[in-house]
Amino acid sequence: VKKSAEDEKVVLRNIRRDVLEHLKKQEKEVPLSKDQVASIQNDIQKLTDRYTKEIDSLLANKEKEILEV
């Protein structure tokens, strides 16, 4: 179960990396202020953190469930 949760976190971090790379490419095509870029990056990090915590919570619940059986 831990391996599966860690695999999902890796997927999540890869998605974050891809989105940030896409943002950098978009920055060259569409002028964005540094504040806009920072805000978008902050939002992406908040989403990443939120879903990482969700994965951790699901892992903890599943481990508890397994130990009860």
Side-chain angles (χ1 to χ4, degrees):
V1 176
K2 284 184 181 182
K3 171 103 172 80
S4 178
E6 189 56 40
D7 289 346
E8 294 305 316
K9 288 181 187 180
V10 169
V11 169
L12 189 60
R13 289 189 298 266
N14 287 340
I15 291 170
R16 178 189 60 196
R17 183 198 65 225
D18 292 345
V19 170
L20 291 175
E21 286 176 3
H22 183 72
L23 175 63
K24 287 180 184 180
K25 289 178 185 176
Q26 286 296 107
E27 235 181 318
K28 295 175 184 175
E29 296 173 14
V30 179
L32 296 171
S33 72
K34 289 184 179 183
D35 288 340
Q36 288 174 313
V37 172
S39 176
I40 293 168
Q41 289 175 335
N42 189 32
D43 290 344
I44 293 167
Q45 186 59 50
K46 285 180 184 177
L47 282 171
T48 303
D49 293 344
R50 183 174 115 204
Y51 286 108
T52 298
K53 287 179 185 176
E54 177 125 1
I55 291 168
D56 289 339
S57 175
L58 290 170
L59 173 63
N61 290 340
K62 191 63 173 177
E63 285 177 332
K64 184 178 176 183
E65 180 183 315
I66 291 171
L67 292 176
E68 286 177 0
V69 173

